Short mmCIF file of all heavy atoms in Angstrom, two decimals:
data_model
loop_
_atom_site.label_atom_id
_atom_site.label_comp_id
_atom_site.label_asym_id
_atom_site.label_seq_id
_atom_site.Cartn_x
_atom_site.Cartn_y
_atom_site.Cartn_z
N THR A 1490 -47.87 37.53 158.67
CA THR A 1490 -48.20 36.55 157.66
C THR A 1490 -48.72 37.25 156.42
O THR A 1490 -49.54 38.17 156.53
CB THR A 1490 -49.30 35.59 158.22
OG1 THR A 1490 -48.86 34.98 159.42
CG2 THR A 1490 -49.61 34.48 157.19
N PRO A 1491 -48.33 36.80 155.23
CA PRO A 1491 -47.35 35.75 154.93
C PRO A 1491 -45.93 36.25 155.08
O PRO A 1491 -45.64 37.44 154.93
CB PRO A 1491 -47.67 35.41 153.47
CG PRO A 1491 -48.16 36.72 152.87
CD PRO A 1491 -48.92 37.37 153.99
N GLU A 1492 -45.03 35.31 155.35
CA GLU A 1492 -43.62 35.69 155.52
C GLU A 1492 -42.90 35.93 154.20
O GLU A 1492 -42.00 36.79 154.08
CB GLU A 1492 -42.88 34.55 156.24
CG GLU A 1492 -43.24 34.42 157.72
CD GLU A 1492 -42.34 33.43 158.42
OE1 GLU A 1492 -41.39 32.90 157.80
OE2 GLU A 1492 -42.58 33.16 159.64
N GLY A 1493 -43.28 35.19 153.17
CA GLY A 1493 -42.51 35.14 151.91
C GLY A 1493 -42.17 36.50 151.31
O GLY A 1493 -40.96 36.77 151.03
N PRO A 1494 -43.15 37.38 151.10
CA PRO A 1494 -42.78 38.69 150.49
C PRO A 1494 -41.83 39.52 151.33
O PRO A 1494 -40.98 40.25 150.79
CB PRO A 1494 -44.15 39.39 150.41
CG PRO A 1494 -45.16 38.27 150.35
CD PRO A 1494 -44.57 37.22 151.26
N LEU A 1495 -41.90 39.39 152.67
CA LEU A 1495 -40.99 40.17 153.50
C LEU A 1495 -39.61 39.54 153.57
O LEU A 1495 -38.59 40.24 153.73
CB LEU A 1495 -41.57 40.35 154.90
CG LEU A 1495 -42.81 41.23 154.97
CD1 LEU A 1495 -43.27 41.45 156.39
CD2 LEU A 1495 -42.64 42.56 154.26
N VAL A 1496 -39.54 38.24 153.47
CA VAL A 1496 -38.25 37.57 153.32
C VAL A 1496 -37.58 38.01 152.04
O VAL A 1496 -36.37 38.29 151.99
CB VAL A 1496 -38.37 36.03 153.38
CG1 VAL A 1496 -37.07 35.35 153.02
CG2 VAL A 1496 -38.88 35.58 154.74
N GLU A 1497 -38.34 38.15 150.96
CA GLU A 1497 -37.82 38.64 149.73
C GLU A 1497 -37.32 40.06 149.88
O GLU A 1497 -36.29 40.45 149.31
CB GLU A 1497 -38.91 38.57 148.63
CG GLU A 1497 -38.40 38.80 147.23
CD GLU A 1497 -39.45 38.59 146.17
OE1 GLU A 1497 -40.61 38.19 146.53
OE2 GLU A 1497 -39.13 38.77 144.97
N LEU A 1498 -38.08 40.91 150.59
CA LEU A 1498 -37.64 42.27 150.86
C LEU A 1498 -36.33 42.33 151.64
O LEU A 1498 -35.45 43.10 151.36
CB LEU A 1498 -38.77 43.01 151.60
CG LEU A 1498 -38.44 44.46 152.11
CD1 LEU A 1498 -38.13 45.35 150.91
CD2 LEU A 1498 -39.62 44.99 152.92
N PHE A 1499 -36.25 41.44 152.65
CA PHE A 1499 -35.00 41.36 153.45
C PHE A 1499 -33.83 40.95 152.56
O PHE A 1499 -32.75 41.58 152.61
CB PHE A 1499 -35.22 40.30 154.56
CG PHE A 1499 -33.90 39.79 155.15
CD1 PHE A 1499 -33.23 40.55 156.07
CD2 PHE A 1499 -33.40 38.54 154.80
CE1 PHE A 1499 -32.05 40.09 156.62
CE2 PHE A 1499 -32.24 38.08 155.33
CZ PHE A 1499 -31.54 38.82 156.25
N ASN A 1500 -34.01 39.94 151.72
CA ASN A 1500 -32.93 39.46 150.86
C ASN A 1500 -32.49 40.58 149.86
O ASN A 1500 -31.29 40.77 149.60
CB ASN A 1500 -33.37 38.24 150.09
CG ASN A 1500 -33.45 37.02 150.96
OD1 ASN A 1500 -32.79 36.92 151.97
ND2 ASN A 1500 -34.30 36.07 150.58
N LEU A 1501 -33.47 41.29 149.33
CA LEU A 1501 -33.16 42.40 148.39
C LEU A 1501 -32.41 43.50 149.13
O LEU A 1501 -31.40 44.02 148.59
CB LEU A 1501 -34.47 42.95 147.80
CG LEU A 1501 -34.33 44.19 146.93
CD1 LEU A 1501 -33.48 43.92 145.68
CD2 LEU A 1501 -35.71 44.73 146.52
N THR A 1502 -32.80 43.85 150.32
CA THR A 1502 -32.14 44.93 151.06
C THR A 1502 -30.70 44.52 151.40
O THR A 1502 -29.75 45.29 151.24
CB THR A 1502 -32.92 45.23 152.35
OG1 THR A 1502 -34.28 45.57 152.02
CG2 THR A 1502 -32.28 46.38 153.12
N LEU A 1503 -30.54 43.27 151.86
CA LEU A 1503 -29.18 42.78 152.22
C LEU A 1503 -28.27 42.75 150.99
O LEU A 1503 -27.10 43.16 151.05
CB LEU A 1503 -29.28 41.41 152.85
CG LEU A 1503 -28.01 40.77 153.35
CD1 LEU A 1503 -27.39 41.65 154.46
CD2 LEU A 1503 -28.26 39.36 153.92
N SER A 1504 -28.77 42.25 149.87
CA SER A 1504 -27.95 42.17 148.65
C SER A 1504 -27.56 43.56 148.14
O SER A 1504 -26.49 43.75 147.58
CB SER A 1504 -28.66 41.35 147.56
OG SER A 1504 -29.85 42.02 147.16
#
Side-chain angles (χ1 to χ4, degrees):
T1490 304
E1492 290 188 3
L1495 293 185
V1496 171
E1497 191 174 358
L1498 175 60
F1499 163 77
N1500 289 333
L1501 174 62
T1502 305
L1503 184 60
S1504 64

